Amino acid sequence: GDSVTQMEGPVTLSEEAFLTINCTYTATGYPSLFWYVQYPGEGLQLLLKATKADDKGSNKGFEATYRKETTSFHLEKGSVQVSDSAVYFCALRGNNRLAFGKGNQVVVIP
Amino acid sequence: DVKVTQSSRYLVKRTGEKVFLECVQDMDHENMFWYRQDPGLGLRLIYFSYDVKMKEKGDIPEGYSVSREKKERFSLILESASTNQTSMYLCASSLIVYRGTYEQYFGPGTRLTVT
């Protein structure tokens, strides 16, 4: 079935560092792909999305490109801030539902 | 803006109690979902509903039931709460596929503790 795999473990980095979170997927067809963010004590918010191959989603300085050839949708940000500390989830649209990865905790140190 | 609200942010219940978690959305979305979120396990889908009075089991429906009597409201019911149901519960809603790109909008979550 449809599934999403995110890199293992939390990510700790310094302010202004470059952030990458890997996401790969398994699905039939060409699903829409999403990144959600969860700030402490809150529900999930949509961060960005891409609906077809080679689309680039972007928001708040974050970017991700839908790569069909590598079945990937890696999240990147060039210069992180302390306020970017959160949990990030990759997801794909399957059969009338979303399949989520397990999430990555990102901690940005001043 | 889409708004999804959940009846409680924090809830403490005793083992064996019947527990109701309520979710309301204000954007006329067809689909509504209940997830639980646990450390190291991510989000797991419990039940979802694509229309009034319609429901489908998700990945972990055991010990739970749901009710959708009105389009804007989706309730999660723990018939007899157990300690292994201590978790964060998240409600979400979305348009049906042919009406949009299907992103889900989430409520703030209910942290349930069963003692």
Side-chain angles (χ1 to χ4, degrees):
Chain A
D2 298 338
S3 66
V4 173
T5 301
Q6 291 183 233
M7 51 195 280
E8 293 286 330
V11 178
T12 303
L13 60 169
S14 299
E15 205 165 22
E16 298 184 3
F18 185 87
L19 170 69
T20 299
I21 305 175
N22 290 340
C23 170
T24 57
Y25 68 89
T26 302
T28 53
Y30 305 103
S32 295
L33 300 172
F34 307 87
W35 276 100
Y36 281 82
V37 60
Q38 184 180 33
Y39 298 106
E42 297 183 13
L44 277 70
Q45 302 174 24
L46 180 66
L47 181 59
L48 53 84
K49 65 185 179 189
T51 57
K52 60 184 187 298
D54 300 325
D55 266 2
K56 177 184 282 188
S58 61
N59 186 24
K60 299 182 181 181
F62 290 89
E63 292 183 342
T65 301
Y66 189 160
R67 302 281 188 204
K68 181 167 67 73
E69 62 277 11
T70 55
T71 61
S72 65
F73 192 54
H74 305 320
L75 183 68
E76 297 181 336
K77 186 174 185 181
S79 176
V80 293
Q81 305 301 312
V82 172
S83 57
D84 294 323
S85 297
V87 182
Y88 293 82
F89 293 92
C90 185
L92 67 81
R93 178 175 71 79
N95 185 22
N96 204 32
R97 52 182 285 184
L98 290 182
F100 285 90
K102 291 191 173 166
N104 286 102
Q105 173 85 49
V106 172
V107 177
V108 181
I109 301 168
Chain B
D1 277 355
V2 175
K3 192 162 185 182
V4 180
T5 56
Q6 296 183 228
S7 50
S8 306
R9 293 298 302 271
Y10 300 94
L11 209 52
V12 180
K13 295 292 182 181
R14 294 190 181 275
T15 301
E17 278 193 84
K18 191 168 186 176
V19 181
F20 293 87
L21 303 182
E22 304 283 339
C23 176
V24 177
Q25 52 94 3
D26 66 358
M27 283 300 292
D28 199 35
H29 284 176
E30 289 85 1
N31 296 332
M32 296 188 75
F33 306 83
W34 276 107
Y35 296 89
R36 63 177 284 176
Q37 182 180 14
D38 301 287
L41 298 177
L43 271 71
R44 293 181 290 169
L45 182 65
I46 304 171
Y47 268 97
F48 68 102
S49 167
Y50 50 89
D51 201 353
V52 175
K53 296 192 185 295
M54 306 301 290
K55 61 185 179 185
E56 283 199 26
K57 293 180 180 179
D59 301 319
I60 51 163
E62 296 78 20
Y64 303 94
S65 62
V66 290
S67 172
R68 192 155 180 212
E69 296 296 320
K70 294 184 178 181
K71 190 175 185 179
E72 67 271 18
R73 188 178 297 270
F74 191 36
S75 302
L76 180 70
I77 303 155
L78 287 65
E79 295 289 342
S80 177
S82 63
T83 55
N84 63 10
Q85 293 177 311
T86 292
S87 186
M88 170 71 87
Y89 289 88
L90 293 166
C91 176
S93 72
S94 76
L95 289 168
I96 205 161
V97 168
Y98 62 79
R99 284 185 63 196
T101 54
Y102 196 69
E103 58 256 41
Q104 291 184 12
Y105 296 85
F106 283 80
T110 296
R111 186 165 292 283
L112 173 66
T113 302
V114 182
T115 62

